[in-house]
Amino acid sequence: MSEPAPRTLTYVRWLGARAGVVLVGSVVLALLGVLSLFRLEFDVGLVSMLPRGAERFADYQRFVERFGAQDLVIALVRAPDPATARTFGTEFAAALEERPEIADVRARVDREAFLRALGEGALPRLMPASRRGELERRLSPENVDAAVVGMRSALSVPGAIGLRSALVSDPLGLAVVLAEALAASRPDRALAPGAESLTSTDGRKLLLLIRPFEAGYDLQDVEQLALSLEAAERVARDRFGNASAVTVDYTGAFAHAREDAALLHRDISLYIFLALVGVLAVFYAGYRDLRILPFVTYHLSLTTLLTLALGIVLLGKLNLISLAFAAIFYGLGIDAAIHFYTRFLEERVACEDPEQALSATIDALLPPTLLATATTAIAFGAVGFSSLEGVAQLGWLTAIGLLLNVPGTFVVMAALLLWFERRGRLARVRAPTRATWLAAVAVWVARHRRVSVPVVGVLFALSAVSARHASIDTDLFHLRPAESRARSVEKEIQREFGFTDPHGSVLVETRNIGDPDAIDSVVRVAEIVTESLRGAQEAGDVRSVTSLAPLLPSRTTQRERLDAWAALPREAAADRLEVALDAAGFRTEMFASAIRMLREVPAPADPTSEVLPGLEILIERQLERDDEALSILVSFTPTDAAALERVADRLVRETVLPPGVSLIVTGRPLMEAELGRSARRELLGFLGFVLACTVILIGAHERRVAPTLALLAIPVGSVVGVLGLAGFFGIPLTPVSVVVLPLTIGIGLDDCLYLVERYRESGDVGEAVARGGRALSITTATTIAGFGALALSRYPALSGLGTLAAVSLAICLATTIVLLPALLSPAWLRRSREDSSVVSS
């Protein structure tokens, strides 16, 4: 046993006299940490998964905020026949409207309200000029007479009472002409003539759009909204009577959040269970004794609670990815405790005085622990600047936890050891088992370094070649569970309702909502964008376009249409209609609204101030007007990602924007392409930053080039090895799992630093590995267990992170045992002897 430094011994004696106070204080802090958990909120919404930090990220974020349906629940009702679907849908909508948590329900198009709006001047404003020929035909005298005769025949059929309002408001069928024009302007069936509900082609499926009062998607909001929907569904089934064949499924942000919440509970339980079982198994395999657990887990639990408390203060809500912090930190933070306890057992066997043994332990382990913690915390801190919010939170939380773990180990754990020692409750200490087989490998490698170093070098060279084929998968849906019910419902809606997956979105906005000219400019730009996309559709770059332009004409377009309306033979048609109605025995006053519409030419109006009555279910999906801004969305489906790039570039370059109007072209492929570029930049930046900081820290500690390079060769070589395996087997990295690479540098240095300190103490490679190899193996195994628990998550983002980290750590340990002994040199001992001379003097 080496003689401890006087300052260290003084500290240990001071700590021993106050061990009880320190432990009581730690319990108080733990209780405060537990209380802080009552304020912990988990954000499981889609927005928290989106990246930030670049223009295309900001554009996509803006699109999601305005039109990402974050405040909308989409219900899909399936029934055995169209009549049952319509009836149950009506009952379900009524039950939802009675719920206090539901702000609004859009279940159908209100045809009567829409027909009234057409009669009050909307029809000539909406009627495209291309339909003038059909209008002239319907306004001809012979067609007016035929329409009145046909109306008489239709109303005489039994059960035709429902036709009365439609025929009275539109006896000449002008609304049908408009409906055909509107339906032709959309790729879906939302504006098909006669369609009241958003139904599938066979009519057996329909959609309800549900807007809750609370749009937040933390766990509590999700649970409350789920209960409300279930209650409304039960009421609807009771009222309907026979609804056993009717099914209801949900999609949208709420449905995804609900799935995340359910999986979250399952995954958290799995993490805790697997981490506990993994650590117990590792400890028992390494020490054949589980009495070590109180000494290595108490301060770790305390540090975890304090870290979460700080996270609540600094970060607010945590999200799905950042929840992995606990499992990862449990595996990482326990390393220092294992090294500390193992070294204390060695010193305690050699010395009867526990304070002397503890002082020697602190002297030996504080420098490498500080250095290892600094390198690992720097790696996680660098990850804290990731563009993915969840990854950034994970980085900051783990970095904070690692920093807090140092006083947790050298203060709380040390006080716990002294407290148990002085009360005789510490088990009889035994010297830790020596890692003889690891020592034999290290000795062989050291003796044959002329062979082992070149062989390892060739392996890493081959890995570097294979690493060129490694790729990053930026598809955000690949970060979510593949078996997602909400995603399946989305695909079913796209397939059955004729909707497209609009990978392209154009957002036209103005924040000058009090300026009529600015508002009309937004509407006009939306028309221009729609025309440009129609041209791209003819050119083959776009498959379909969904736009509100047919329903939201600008004042310029309205004036053109009203001029065309004024030129039609309307007056003659109105006169002829009155005569024909009177001759057929109808009361002409019943048709006053339709006749008045023929005689009048309305003035242009602001189409955004009052949404067309009856069509709210359609318009509100692409029009957002509030106190912040007026936003109009034009969606389109490009033929491929390259076409989306071309269309986006052309729209931004060629669209002339009036003052106060902005235009954003975005889409998931654009954002994901930027995410790929950002992930590569971040990876290089993180690796460069972590490597530079590590070089500075290791160089300052070693003060020699050779040992610094030797230490860095292990984690850097391990990173190359991981990339080589990924490239060789064709396993893509993700924006989440890619952070493992800079973390490997920080984490991988830990074993190297502890092993080098052992080597300096003993002066022999075999002895260093024999004494420290078991602790190295156990700490690596516990860290792999922490990350490995994530590998079983049903979230690919977390399972990929855990798997890649476990593989990289295993490679680090193997490289440390195989390569580092061959790189160790007796010259490394010189600095330790010099330092010893300084301490002695």
Side-chain angles (χ1 to χ4, degrees), residues 18 24 29 48 86 107 153 187 225 267 285 327 332 354 460-461 472 582 600 725 756 765 785 789 800 812 828 833:
R18 296 164 179 80
V24 170
L29 288 176
S48 63
R86 289 194 300 270
S153 300
L225 184 54
D267 278 4
L332 285 174
F460 282 124
I472 300 177
D582 185 65
E600 295 179 352
L725 289 176
V756 166
V765 170
C812 274
W828 287 27
R833 294 194 186 99

mmCIF file of all heavy atoms in Angstrom, residues 18 24 29 48 86 107 153 187 225 267 285 327 332 354 460-461 472 582 600 725 756 765 785 789 800 812 828 833:
data_model
loop_
_atom_site.group_PDB
_atom_site.id
_atom_site.type_symbol
_atom_site.label_atom_id
_atom_site.label_comp_id
_atom_site.label_asym_id
_atom_site.label_seq_id
_atom_site.Cartn_x
_atom_site.Cartn_y
_atom_site.Cartn_z
ATOM 1 N N ARG A 18 -17.989 13.321 10.020
ATOM 2 C CA ARG A 18 -19.292 13.876 9.618
ATOM 3 C C ARG A 18 -20.039 12.952 8.664
ATOM 4 O O ARG A 18 -20.906 13.389 7.910
ATOM 5 C CB ARG A 18 -19.087 15.242 8.950
ATOM 6 C CG ARG A 18 -18.499 16.281 9.890
ATOM 7 C CD ARG A 18 -17.965 17.468 9.133
ATOM 8 N NE ARG A 18 -17.419 18.489 10.018
ATOM 9 C CZ ARG A 18 -16.222 18.421 10.566
ATOM 10 N NH1 ARG A 18 -15.425 17.379 10.314
ATOM 11 N NH2 ARG A 18 -15.802 19.374 11.376
ATOM 12 N N VAL A 24 -27.281 11.857 5.980
ATOM 13 C CA VAL A 24 -28.607 12.447 6.217
ATOM 14 C C VAL A 24 -28.893 13.539 5.190
ATOM 15 O O VAL A 24 -29.995 13.630 4.636
ATOM 16 C CB VAL A 24 -28.696 13.003 7.648
ATOM 17 C CG1 VAL A 24 -29.978 13.825 7.814
ATOM 18 C CG2 VAL A 24 -28.664 11.873 8.662
ATOM 19 N N LEU A 29 -31.619 15.367 0.103
ATOM 20 C CA LEU A 29 -31.546 15.709 -1.322
ATOM 21 C C LEU A 29 -32.304 14.685 -2.171
ATOM 22 O O LEU A 29 -32.960 15.048 -3.158
ATOM 23 C CB LEU A 29 -30.082 15.757 -1.757
ATOM 24 C CG LEU A 29 -29.253 16.937 -1.261
ATOM 25 C CD1 LEU A 29 -27.801 16.790 -1.710
ATOM 26 C CD2 LEU A 29 -29.833 18.246 -1.783
ATOM 27 N N SER A 48 -41.951 17.202 -30.899
ATOM 28 C CA SER A 48 -40.697 17.087 -30.154
ATOM 29 C C SER A 48 -39.678 16.214 -30.867
ATOM 30 O O SER A 48 -38.500 16.255 -30.535
ATOM 31 C CB SER A 48 -40.980 16.514 -28.760
ATOM 32 O OG SER A 48 -41.506 15.206 -28.863
ATOM 33 N N ARG A 86 -73.128 6.123 -42.003
ATOM 34 C CA ARG A 86 -73.636 7.493 -41.844
ATOM 35 C C ARG A 86 -74.373 7.664 -40.514
ATOM 36 O O ARG A 86 -74.189 8.655 -39.809
ATOM 37 C CB ARG A 86 -74.562 7.840 -43.007
ATOM 38 C CG ARG A 86 -73.863 8.024 -44.342
ATOM 39 C CD ARG A 86 -74.790 8.693 -45.341
ATOM 40 N NE ARG A 86 -75.996 7.886 -45.564
ATOM 41 C CZ ARG A 86 -76.109 6.946 -46.493
ATOM 42 N NH1 ARG A 86 -75.070 6.666 -47.286
ATOM 43 N NH2 ARG A 86 -77.235 6.273 -46.647
ATOM 44 N N ALA A 107 -68.012 16.487 -39.017
ATOM 45 C CA ALA A 107 -68.394 15.150 -39.436
ATOM 46 C C ALA A 107 -68.873 15.080 -40.879
ATOM 47 O O ALA A 107 -68.846 14.025 -41.485
ATOM 48 C CB ALA A 107 -69.497 14.605 -38.516
ATOM 49 N N SER A 153 -91.412 15.875 -62.019
ATOM 50 C CA SER A 153 -91.366 14.416 -62.008
ATOM 51 C C SER A 153 -90.593 13.884 -60.802
ATOM 52 O O SER A 153 -90.995 12.895 -60.170
ATOM 53 C CB SER A 153 -90.723 13.906 -63.303
ATOM 54 O OG SER A 153 -91.465 14.334 -64.436
ATOM 55 N N PRO A 187 -57.632 15.745 -56.024
ATOM 56 C CA PRO A 187 -57.364 14.324 -56.284
ATOM 57 C C PRO A 187 -58.212 13.394 -55.434
ATOM 58 O O PRO A 187 -58.265 12.199 -55.707
ATOM 59 C CB PRO A 187 -55.880 14.179 -55.943
ATOM 60 C CG PRO A 187 -55.645 15.223 -54.908
ATOM 61 C CD PRO A 187 -56.536 16.381 -55.266
ATOM 62 N N LEU A 225 -57.774 12.722 -22.943
ATOM 63 C CA LEU A 225 -58.461 12.736 -24.223
ATOM 64 C C LEU A 225 -58.879 11.336 -24.641
ATOM 65 O O LEU A 225 -59.975 11.142 -25.195
ATOM 66 C CB LEU A 225 -57.558 13.361 -25.290
ATOM 67 C CG LEU A 225 -58.174 13.534 -26.682
ATOM 68 C CD1 LEU A 225 -59.479 14.306 -26.626
ATOM 69 C CD2 LEU A 225 -57.179 14.241 -27.610
ATOM 70 N N ASP A 267 -41.755 0.320 -22.040
ATOM 71 C CA ASP A 267 -40.305 0.390 -22.208
ATOM 72 C C ASP A 267 -39.604 0.810 -20.928
ATOM 73 O O ASP A 267 -38.534 0.290 -20.604
ATOM 74 C CB ASP A 267 -39.960 1.355 -23.339
ATOM 75 C CG ASP A 267 -40.074 0.697 -24.711
ATOM 76 O OD1 ASP A 267 -40.491 -0.470 -24.757
ATOM 77 O OD2 ASP A 267 -39.770 1.353 -25.709
ATOM 78 N N ALA A 285 -21.402 -12.375 -11.185
ATOM 79 C CA ALA A 285 -20.373 -13.053 -11.971
ATOM 80 C C ALA A 285 -18.984 -12.520 -11.642
ATOM 81 O O ALA A 285 -18.001 -13.276 -11.644
ATOM 82 C CB ALA A 285 -20.658 -12.896 -13.463
ATOM 83 N N ALA A 327 -31.370 4.670 -18.154
ATOM 84 C CA ALA A 327 -30.714 3.393 -18.431
ATOM 85 C C ALA A 327 -29.245 3.590 -18.792
ATOM 86 O O ALA A 327 -28.370 2.846 -18.338
ATOM 87 C CB ALA A 327 -31.444 2.662 -19.556
ATOM 88 N N LEU A 332 -23.276 3.878 -17.092
ATOM 89 C CA LEU A 332 -22.054 4.682 -17.107
ATOM 90 C C LEU A 332 -21.614 5.106 -15.710
ATOM 91 O O LEU A 332 -20.436 5.003 -15.353
ATOM 92 C CB LEU A 332 -22.277 5.940 -17.960
ATOM 93 C CG LEU A 332 -22.284 5.773 -19.470
ATOM 94 C CD1 LEU A 332 -22.664 7.089 -20.129
ATOM 95 C CD2 LEU A 332 -20.926 5.319 -19.965
ATOM 96 N N PRO A 354 -9.152 1.838 8.077
ATOM 97 C CA PRO A 354 -10.009 2.127 6.921
ATOM 98 C C PRO A 354 -9.782 3.529 6.356
ATOM 99 O O PRO A 354 -9.940 3.737 5.151
ATOM 100 C CB PRO A 354 -11.430 1.973 7.481
ATOM 101 C CG PRO A 354 -11.284 2.133 8.957
ATOM 102 C CD PRO A 354 -9.932 1.604 9.302
ATOM 103 N N PHE A 460 -7.964 -2.473 -38.689
ATOM 104 C CA PHE A 460 -8.572 -1.152 -38.671
ATOM 105 C C PHE A 460 -8.476 -0.480 -40.039
ATOM 106 O O PHE A 460 -9.348 0.307 -40.416
ATOM 107 C CB PHE A 460 -7.927 -0.283 -37.590
ATOM 108 C CG PHE A 460 -8.426 -0.596 -36.212
ATOM 109 C CD1 PHE A 460 -7.551 -0.938 -35.190
ATOM 110 C CD2 PHE A 460 -9.772 -0.559 -35.923
ATOM 111 C CE1 PHE A 460 -8.008 -1.236 -33.922
ATOM 112 C CE2 PHE A 460 -10.254 -0.854 -34.658
ATOM 113 C CZ PHE A 460 -9.378 -1.191 -33.653
ATOM 114 N N ALA A 461 -7.439 -0.775 -40.799
ATOM 115 C CA ALA A 461 -7.344 -0.235 -42.157
ATOM 116 C C ALA A 461 -8.467 -0.790 -43.022
ATOM 117 O O ALA A 461 -9.100 -0.064 -43.807
ATOM 118 C CB ALA A 461 -5.980 -0.556 -42.760
ATOM 119 N N ILE A 472 -26.386 6.954 -43.469
ATOM 120 C CA ILE A 472 -27.277 7.457 -42.416
ATOM 121 C C ILE A 472 -28.699 7.473 -42.960
ATOM 122 O O ILE A 472 -28.982 8.115 -43.976
ATOM 123 C CB ILE A 472 -26.868 8.865 -41.958
ATOM 124 C CG1 ILE A 472 -25.438 8.855 -41.416
ATOM 125 C CG2 ILE A 472 -27.828 9.384 -40.890
ATOM 126 C CD1 ILE A 472 -24.943 10.234 -41.001
ATOM 127 N N ASP A 582 -94.716 28.899 -62.869
ATOM 128 C CA ASP A 582 -96.133 29.227 -62.708
ATOM 129 C C ASP A 582 -96.995 28.278 -63.545
ATOM 130 O O ASP A 582 -98.049 27.812 -63.094
ATOM 131 C CB ASP A 582 -96.371 30.679 -63.131
ATOM 132 C CG ASP A 582 -97.811 31.120 -62.878
ATOM 133 O OD1 ASP A 582 -98.202 31.182 -61.692
ATOM 134 O OD2 ASP A 582 -98.537 31.386 -63.869
ATOM 135 N N GLU A 600 -78.955 38.970 -59.965
ATOM 136 C CA GLU A 600 -77.963 39.831 -59.319
ATOM 137 C C GLU A 600 -76.529 39.458 -59.725
ATOM 138 O O GLU A 600 -76.247 38.309 -60.050
ATOM 139 C CB GLU A 600 -78.087 39.743 -57.791
ATOM 140 C CG GLU A 600 -79.406 40.294 -57.257
ATOM 141 C CD GLU A 600 -79.502 40.157 -55.753
ATOM 142 O OE1 GLU A 600 -78.607 39.494 -55.163
ATOM 143 O OE2 GLU A 600 -80.445 40.707 -55.159
ATOM 144 N N LEU A 725 -17.945 -2.114 -39.514
ATOM 145 C CA LEU A 725 -18.966 -3.157 -39.406
ATOM 146 C C LEU A 725 -20.283 -2.703 -40.025
ATOM 147 O O LEU A 725 -20.960 -3.477 -40.718
ATOM 148 C CB LEU A 725 -19.171 -3.532 -37.938
ATOM 149 C CG LEU A 725 -18.038 -4.305 -37.259
ATOM 150 C CD1 LEU A 725 -18.351 -4.504 -35.786
ATOM 151 C CD2 LEU A 725 -17.846 -5.660 -37.937
ATOM 152 N N VAL A 756 -3.868 2.359 -17.480
ATOM 153 C CA VAL A 756 -2.564 3.021 -17.487
ATOM 154 C C VAL A 756 -2.135 3.380 -16.071
ATOM 155 O O VAL A 756 -0.955 3.252 -15.712
ATOM 156 C CB VAL A 756 -2.616 4.272 -18.391
ATOM 157 C CG1 VAL A 756 -1.388 5.158 -18.154
ATOM 158 C CG2 VAL A 756 -2.699 3.869 -19.850
ATOM 159 N N VAL A 765 2.909 -4.957 -17.213
ATOM 160 C CA VAL A 765 1.642 -5.046 -17.932
ATOM 161 C C VAL A 765 0.761 -6.159 -17.373
ATOM 162 O O VAL A 765 -0.439 -5.971 -17.134
ATOM 163 C CB VAL A 765 1.895 -5.267 -19.440
ATOM 164 C CG1 VAL A 765 0.597 -5.615 -20.159
ATOM 165 C CG2 VAL A 765 2.506 -4.036 -20.066
ATOM 166 N N ALA A 785 -24.800 -3.238 -20.375
ATOM 167 C CA ALA A 785 -26.137 -3.589 -19.895
ATOM 168 C C ALA A 785 -27.057 -2.371 -19.922
ATOM 169 O O ALA A 785 -28.235 -2.474 -20.269
ATOM 170 C CB ALA A 785 -26.058 -4.159 -18.481
ATOM 171 N N ALA A 789 -30.066 -2.511 -22.634
ATOM 172 C CA ALA A 789 -31.493 -2.537 -22.296
ATOM 173 C C ALA A 789 -32.305 -1.789 -23.339
ATOM 174 O O ALA A 789 -33.447 -2.157 -23.644
ATOM 175 C CB ALA A 789 -31.704 -1.931 -20.907
ATOM 176 N N GLY A 800 -31.754 1.053 -31.932
ATOM 177 C CA GLY A 800 -30.534 1.256 -32.714
ATOM 178 C C GLY A 800 -29.440 1.908 -31.899
ATOM 179 O O GLY A 800 -28.261 1.540 -32.004
ATOM 180 N N CYS A 812 -14.401 -1.542 -27.858
ATOM 181 C CA CYS A 812 -13.457 -0.741 -27.055
ATOM 182 C C CYS A 812 -12.734 -1.612 -26.031
ATOM 183 O O CYS A 812 -11.506 -1.502 -25.866
ATOM 184 C CB CYS A 812 -14.204 0.387 -26.348
ATOM 185 S SG CYS A 812 -14.399 1.874 -27.324
ATOM 186 N N TRP A 828 6.715 5.337 -19.986
ATOM 187 C CA TRP A 828 5.537 5.955 -19.359
ATOM 188 C C TRP A 828 5.703 6.054 -17.846
ATOM 189 O O TRP A 828 5.056 6.876 -17.214
ATOM 190 C CB TRP A 828 4.300 5.100 -19.650
ATOM 191 C CG TRP A 828 3.831 5.196 -21.073
ATOM 192 C CD1 TRP A 828 4.569 5.481 -22.172
ATOM 193 C CD2 TRP A 828 2.501 4.982 -21.532
ATOM 194 N NE1 TRP A 828 3.801 5.451 -23.294
ATOM 195 C CE2 TRP A 828 2.513 5.149 -22.930
ATOM 196 C CE3 TRP A 828 1.303 4.662 -20.896
ATOM 197 C CZ2 TRP A 828 1.376 5.007 -23.705
ATOM 198 C CZ3 TRP A 828 0.163 4.517 -21.658
ATOM 199 C CH2 TRP A 828 0.195 4.686 -23.056
ATOM 200 N N ARG A 833 7.247 8.380 -11.694
ATOM 201 C CA ARG A 833 8.350 8.459 -10.724
ATOM 202 C C ARG A 833 8.671 9.906 -10.390
ATOM 203 O O ARG A 833 8.933 10.260 -9.245
ATOM 204 C CB ARG A 833 9.589 7.765 -11.297
ATOM 205 C CG ARG A 833 9.428 6.260 -11.477
ATOM 206 C CD ARG A 833 10.770 5.599 -11.706
ATOM 207 N NE ARG A 833 10.625 4.185 -12.021
ATOM 208 C CZ ARG A 833 10.660 3.680 -13.238
ATOM 209 N NH1 ARG A 833 10.839 4.494 -14.281
ATOM 210 N NH2 ARG A 833 10.532 2.379 -13.436
#
